[in-house]
Amino acid sequence: MSFDGGAGREADETTSFVLQPPRPAPPQQAALPDLAVPPQEPGVGRLIAGRYRLLAKLGHGGMGTVWRAKDETVDREVAVKEPRVPDHLPEREQTNVFERMRREARAAARLDHPAVVNVHDVAVVDGRPWIVMELVHGRSLGDALQEGTLGAREAARVGLEVLGALEAAHAAGILHRDVKPDNILLGRHDRIVLTDFGIAQIEGETNLTDTGGFVGSPEYIAPERVLGQRPGPASDLWSLGVVLYAATEGVSPFRRSNTPATLQSVLNAVPAPPAAAQGPLAEAVNGLLDKDPARRPAAARVRALLEAAANPPAPQPQPQPTQVVRQGEAPRARRRFGRAVWTGLGAAVVAAAVAVYLVVADPFAGPLPDGWTTEHEKEVTATLAVPDTYVRSEPGKNAAADEHWVSYTDPSGAISVVLLVSRKAEDTGHEIKASAAAEMYADDGDFKESGSYELEMPKGPRTSTDDNMTFHDRKAAGNTVGYTTTDSQEPAPRELRILYYKSSGGDMYKLMIGYPGKGDFTLRGREVARTAIANLEIDKL
């Protein structure tokens, strides 16, 4: 990392970034007098490699201390990174640290991009590499976020520069692996720099990470890296998504009180949609935070979204204002349905572009994500896991269809979780099929032949069936239904996830999660579906 921030910063070294809304800084962060580093500071005045005079400490990271220094050969100020290795480390590990620093220099030196810090030299002193870099006057994004958040346009502009640096790195076969606010510098003249390639992975080089461990900041690490899977460019883009979220919301969505809890939240937690980021910026953030790297948007798509957020079109005059109700802005009317579409779903439980990733035997079901709760429902003899802000409907029974149900709905009306049970003892018409798979195929046939009037579903929707699922090590089935509503005024993409399970007593359970199929609520809806299905508990399997 190379920056000139905190004490010793010149008055003309401010940046143009506007923080909003600013939070009062703690007393110790109030404006400090421009004091030089005390002469007694160890190391000040030392001459490195016969030309770099150490002037002041700027900061330190996991593998080194960064100094402001003067290159006496060419008479310019530079940043010098000193290796910082605990004395108790075995010689082999110390060697690894030094090799990582050399790797940082090689990685950064290979990149020609204005958002990547320039490396001038590597000076070897007593076998230790000191990296000499350009001095970027300014402060880190991490420091800035201690005082407030960035507006959507500023956050998008920061994101564009970091994205450009990552694209250059990825094109050169380099993964950064530690993209976070502390490694993003806000320099003078609106310059933004991605620094600290100390744990970068260069294609074809040996992995220096200790066996069983990982490197990087836990709250910014992609899920696939937590799971020990091979990372790729999408892993750096995930980290960029977390940075953008933190830049607008003020905190990482996955930060917890300790590292294990943080890693668990990276794997399981579903962040609330960013409140300060709307439109294309929200779409970029939500897409980048998809747990599956294969579903994250490519860099080109992210760039298009960030450019749209950084340069929004000027508002057009509206000579005759019209009232438009957009999806997700207000609850849609709740309705009651017959057997084909299940009582209690409500118009918010709907479907769109099919995503085939219904997981029942979730290996991370374990503890619920923060903000979730479990509710035991006697009407359906099961325990549901739902976000604790969801509104519960009064459980009921559809006498005509012999179905018991309960539903929970997001306060906006965008997402609903519904559990429906058909009791074997009440099935006088023998409507319950012989298995979960048979029930799923029967419903799928109804969708394709006639759709659903109540759900505004046309016939022939896109469906993805799975007749080989398990639920608590027992046979189950699932379906994902996608369609665009038949609403002539405001057709909308919808998505519906369904789990089918037949108990040993012959009761048929259907857990259904519906949500918008496109937009800010899609990612949230899919994660709600995954978590609700993984944590469903039935009283008598």
Side-chain angles (χ1 to χ4, degrees), residues 236-251:
D236 279 346
L237 294 181
W238 161 281
S239 301
L240 174 59
V242 184
V243 166
L244 292 172
Y245 192 107
T248 56
E249 300 300 301
V251 65

Side-chain angles (χ1 to χ4, degrees), residues 484-507:
T484 299
T485 65
T486 56
D487 186 341
S488 60
Q489 299 298 317
E490 190 183 357
R494 306 288 194 177
E495 191 161 287
L496 177 65
R497 297 277 302 280
I498 314 169
L499 164 71
Y500 296 83
Y501 174 73
K502 188 173 184 180
S503 71
S504 58
D507 295 342

Side-chain angles (χ1 to χ4, degrees), residues 290-478:
D290 196 308
K291 305 291 187 186
D292 185 349
R295 290 199 300 267
R296 290 172 207 152
R301 175 58 180 164
V302 176
R303 176 168 294 280
L305 291 170
L306 294 181
E307 287 176 344
N311 303 286
Q316 298 297 319
Q318 300 291 334
Q320 294 184 351
T322 57
Q323 183 179 5
V324 178
V325 179
R326 297 187 180 277
Q327 177 181 330
E329 292 181 347
R332 298 168 67 95
R334 184 175 299 279
R335 306 179 185 182
R336 293 179 60 84
F337 305 109
R339 184 180 190 284
V341 290
W342 308 291
T343 299
L345 272 177
V349 179
V350 288
V354 179
V356 188
Y357 68 106
L358 187 61
V359 179
V360 176
D362 191 330
F364 304 108
L368 283 174
D370 288 353
W372 281 64
T373 186
T374 56
E375 300 290 346
H376 182 264
E377 296 288 352
K378 293 182 179 179
E379 183 69 29
V380 290
T381 56
T383 299
L384 278 169
V386 294
D388 56 17
T389 58
Y390 279 27
V391 180
R392 176 179 179 268
S393 68
E394 190 65 29
K397 178 186 177 184
N398 181 359
D402 293 325
E403 295 168 335
H404 302 257
W405 60 271
V406 65
S407 70
Y408 288 82
T409 305
D410 170 70
S412 72
I415 305 171
S416 289
V417 179
V418 178
L419 181 61
L420 179 150
V421 185
S422 296
R423 301 292 186 198
K424 176 65 175 177
E426 301 172 357
D427 184 28
T428 57
H430 304 289
E431 295 289 336
I432 298 176
K433 303 303 179 184
S435 66
E439 188 81 9
M440 179 270 293
Y441 281 121
D443 287 339
D444 188 65
D446 290 342
F447 288 143
K448 291 181 177 178
E449 291 178 9
S450 58
S452 166
Y453 173 78
E454 292 85 352
L455 284 176
E456 298 175 333
M457 178 195 298
K459 67 178 181 179
R462 299 177 302 277
T463 64
S464 178
T465 58
D466 187 349
D467 59 5
N468 193 34
M469 294 173 56
T470 59
F471 177 74
H472 292 281
D473 298 324
R474 298 169 181 262
K475 290 185 177 180

Side-chain angles (χ1 to χ4, degrees), residues 78-144:
V78 294
V80 178
K81 187 170 186 178
E82 172 191 8
R84 188 169 63 88
V85 182
D87 294 334
H88 67 272
L89 282 183
E91 182 178 353
R92 175 178 173 274
E93 293 187 22
Q94 292 187 27
T95 301
N96 274 353
V97 171
F98 298 150
E99 179 56 31
R100 285 178 189 157
M101 293 193 71
R102 294 187 184 96
R103 171 177 294 185
E104 173 182 4
R106 290 197 302 270
R110 288 171 57 175
L111 305 179
D112 181 16
H113 193 279
V116 177
V117 69
N118 292 322
V119 174
H120 300 315
D121 190 13
V122 177
V124 179
V125 179
D126 297 330
R128 300 187 174 199
W130 293 60
I131 302 175
V132 182
M133 302 167 282
E134 67 170 316
L135 181 64
V136 180
H137 295 275
R139 59 176 175 170
S140 73
L141 177 60
D143 289 338

Side-chain angles (χ1 to χ4, degrees), residues 4 32 63 107 258 281 459 479 482:
D4 183 7
L32 298 174
M63 293 190 299
N258 55 68
L281 180 58
K459 67 178 181 179
N479 199 356

